[in-house]
Amino acid sequence: MVNMVVVSEYSLNPPADAQGRTKIAQGPLYALARVQQLAAAGSLNTWTSRCDKTVYELFAGDLEAVADLLGHLRSTDYRDSEWCTNGRNAWAACDAYALRRVEWVATASKEMGVEYFVKFAVGKTGQLLLLVSCHLS
């Protein structure tokens, strides 16, 4: 049996095993202003290898650009909260948001609506923002 560890500040009722994601009924779990403050202060880390890959693809690995994206989130962009694993025996209780904005799309040579999906958790110490997912919807 593998012991899972909770690395997020929110730690109530983690899943008993690593089978799939488990939704968390109340939410959001973290105050958006606090999340944005942590991101703007540079306290932002990618937490999964998949997230690391998509941040590199979308933003050339620039976490400041991701922090700027998080800075544009509004409470109305909130989708849900759920437990996520990083595939290395750790759980984080995450908030998920979807943000739609207009951006220049070079391949189309015009401005277009783009929707980003981001999922994150505040680390156990409260000093680090763990970016679990960041991709286009």
Side-chain angles (χ1 to χ4, degrees), residues 82-100:
E82 66 184 8
W83 285 100
C84 298
T85 181
N86 66 353
R88 296 183 305 270
N89 303 327
W91 283 106
C94 301
D95 284 339
Y97 287 75
L99 172 67
R100 186 163 180 80

Side-chain angles (χ1 to χ4, degrees), residues 54-63:
T54 57
V55 166
Y56 182 79
E57 290 169 354
L58 292 172
F59 302 101
D62 183 2
L63 290 178

Side-chain angles (χ1 to χ4, degrees), residues 5-132:
V5 63
V6 175
V7 299
S8 59
E9 188 175 72
Y10 180 93
S11 61
L12 299 176
N13 304 315
D17 59 35
Q19 300 301 316
R21 298 179 189 139
T22 304
K23 297 292 183 185
I24 302 170
Q26 76 266 15
L29 306 174
Y30 310 103
L32 186 55
R34 180 172 169 228
V35 165
Q36 292 169 325
Q37 183 180 29
L38 286 169
S43 297
L44 175 65
N45 281 359
T46 55
W47 191 60
T48 64
S49 56
R50 186 175 182 186
C51 181
D52 194 46
K53 180 182 176 193
T54 57
V55 166
Y56 182 79
E57 290 169 354
L58 292 172
F59 302 101
D62 183 2
L63 290 178
E64 287 183 23
V66 177
D68 181 64
L69 178 74
L70 294 174
H72 287 88
L73 291 175
R74 301 293 169 249
S75 60
T76 55
D77 298 325
Y78 172 77
R79 294 297 170 252
D80 63 12
S81 299
E82 66 184 8
W83 285 100
C84 298
T85 181
N86 66 353
R88 296 183 305 270
N89 303 327
W91 283 106
C94 301
D95 284 339
Y97 287 75
L99 172 67
R100 186 163 180 80
R101 64 185 194 173
V102 175
E103 293 184 355
W104 177 259
V105 178
T107 55
S109 299
K110 62 180 180 178
E111 287 189 337
M112 298 177 66
V114 177
E115 187 173 39
Y116 289 93
F117 177 82
V118 293
K119 193 181 321 180
F120 50 79
V122 173
K124 191 170 282 240
T125 66
Q127 302 301 311
L128 182 65
L129 187 62
L130 306 170
L131 190 64
V132 175

